[in-house]
Amino acid sequence: MDTPLWAWAACVAVIALALALDLFVFHRHAHEVSLREAAFASIGWVALGISFGVAVWLWGGADSGQEYFAGYLIEKALSVENVFVFALVLRYFAVPPENQHRVLFLGVLGALILRGGFIAGGKALLDSFHWMIYVFGAFLVLTALRMATQDEISVDPARNPVLKALRRVIPITDEYEGQRFWVRRAGRRMATPMLAVLVAVETTDVVFAVDSIPAIFAVTTDTFVVFASNAFALLGLRALYFLLAGAMMRLKYLKTGLAAVLALVGIKMLITDLYKMPIAISLGAIAAILTVAVAASLWKAGRTEAAESEPAAERHP
């Protein structure tokens, strides 16, 4: 659909208001985010994303609404992998718990801007070169195969080329200075480790954008729907991190589920000129895959914990 300017303005205004409330009201003072707070925040962000999706459905019709929710599910699912990577980055830099929300907030803000650029570029490529849809599709299928066969995700910020360049041109202090990114020492302006963490978070997110943006273009080429679904899924990434960072090991089969989703949307792009998969089927398949992956993971984790809690005499009569 041809999105009017007021719809874009409304979308950006809702996002800006949500971010302002999050930063200046709910997290005005630095503090360690509790599991309870993260759970309520996650519910709030999901409710906001669903509410905006309902508005898109009512305004743009069932097709636009289904496309939004399919894109939202894809990005939300891939965000779980982001959570694991962010946990590795924050652990590597030993970021104090009370400072983690601020750096993730700015990381998500930067990600929204970067995703906007990726979306505009991807849309331009698809409009100019139809064959790019096959490139995107093949890339997603290959990414799915790599994800399914990769044992674990590893991130080494020390090998990040952008971070290496930053350290060569900007002096960085050894200690954190609260939530500050810059300090002055002996008349010399220096960065704190918080800036290095932010750079690491932003550059690793670029890698995930390369996966998620083509995946959403497999669902729809409507730039507004792609951006909105991506943005509202990203807004809850911080709360999702604080909720799931300590429970990632329980989601044993989630990576397999994410690989299946990427393979599905990749195949959908590859066969687009032969068969137009209805968006309702795509949405249902994505939801079913993720539900099965999470349920199987929790069942497996429960079985493992139950087996480990059995007395040794019962396990070995």
Side-chain angles (χ1 to χ4, degrees):
M1 61 181 177
D2 188 13
T3 307
L5 185 60
W6 66 262
W8 280 102
C11 179
V12 173
V14 171
I15 293 170
L17 178 60
L19 289 172
L21 287 173
D22 184 49
L23 183 62
F24 298 114
V25 177
F26 299 115
H27 294 92
R28 182 173 53 182
H29 303 293
H31 65 277
E32 182 176 355
V33 178
S34 67
L35 188 62
R36 183 173 182 272
E37 181 183 353
F40 279 112
S42 293
I43 293 172
W45 287 118
V46 170
L48 179 63
I50 292 175
S51 299
F52 195 86
V54 171
V56 171
W57 193 308
L58 295 175
W59 165 63
D63 286 346
S64 294
Q66 291 174 5
E67 289 170 354
Y68 170 90
F69 282 112
Y72 181 85
L73 271 178
I74 290 172
E75 181 59 40
K76 203 69 174 176
L78 293 175
S79 292
V80 176
E81 195 175 23
N82 286 49
V83 166
F84 185 76
V85 173
F86 288 168
L88 293 177
V89 170
L90 296 183
R91 190 181 306 132
Y92 175 87
F93 285 99
V95 181
E98 64 273 16
N99 294 342
Q100 291 180 1
H101 182 274
R102 178 60 60 90
V103 74
L104 289 178
F105 175 91
L106 293 175
V108 168
L109 182 61
L112 286 171
I113 297 172
L114 289 172
R115 298 294 175 94
F118 275 117
I119 291 168
K123 175 65 172 174
L125 284 173
L126 290 174
D127 287 345
S128 301
F129 309 102
H130 176 72
W131 52 265
M132 282 300 299
I133 198 168
Y134 299 114
V135 175
F136 284 179
F139 174 77
L140 290 175
V141 171
L142 290 174
T143 301
L145 292 173
R146 176 178 55 81
M147 184 181 293
T149 56
Q150 188 179 31
D151 291 334
E152 60 181 17
I153 302 171
S154 60
V155 176
D156 185 3
R159 299 174 61 184
N160 186 314
V162 178
L163 195 54
K164 286 182 178 179
L166 176 72
R167 285 171 165 162
R168 281 198 296 266
V169 299
I170 301 177
I172 300 177
T173 64
D174 294 327
E175 302 293 333
Y176 286 95
E177 300 286 343
Q179 298 188 89
R180 299 171 67 185
F181 290 88
W182 298 94
V183 293
R184 189 171 292 278
R185 292 284 182 270
R188 187 184 185 191
R189 187 175 174 83
M190 300 181 68
T192 72
M194 282 283 282
L195 182 64
V197 178
L198 181 60
V199 170
V201 167
E202 292 289 6
T203 50
T204 53
D205 182 73
V206 170
V207 177
F208 288 102
V210 173
D211 291 345
S212 64
I213 298 303
I216 297 181
F217 272 123
V219 174
T220 178
T221 55
D222 186 322
T223 310
F224 177 78
V225 174
V226 173
F227 175 77
S229 60
N230 207 272
F232 281 96
L234 277 176
L235 286 176
L237 183 57
R238 298 176 311 287
L240 190 65
Y241 165 79
F242 291 110
L243 187 64
L244 294 181
M248 290 301 296
M249 297 305 294
R250 293 175 59 86
L251 302 176
K252 179 179 178 63
Y253 300 118
L254 184 59
K255 189 158 69 73
T256 303
L258 296 179
V261 169
L262 288 181
L264 172 68
V265 295
I267 292 171
K268 180 180 179 181
M269 297 185 92
L270 291 174
I271 65 173
T272 187
D273 288 331
L274 300 175
Y275 173 68
K276 297 285 187 182
M277 185 182 298
I279 185 61
I281 294 179
S282 300
L283 179 57
I286 292 168
I289 290 170
L290 295 177
T291 301
V292 170
V294 172
S297 297
L298 295 178
W299 176 81
K300 178 66 174 179
R303 289 286 299 271
T304 301
E305 291 171 1
E308 291 176 349
S309 63
E310 290 179 5
E314 293 183 14
R315 293 199 303 266
H316 304 287

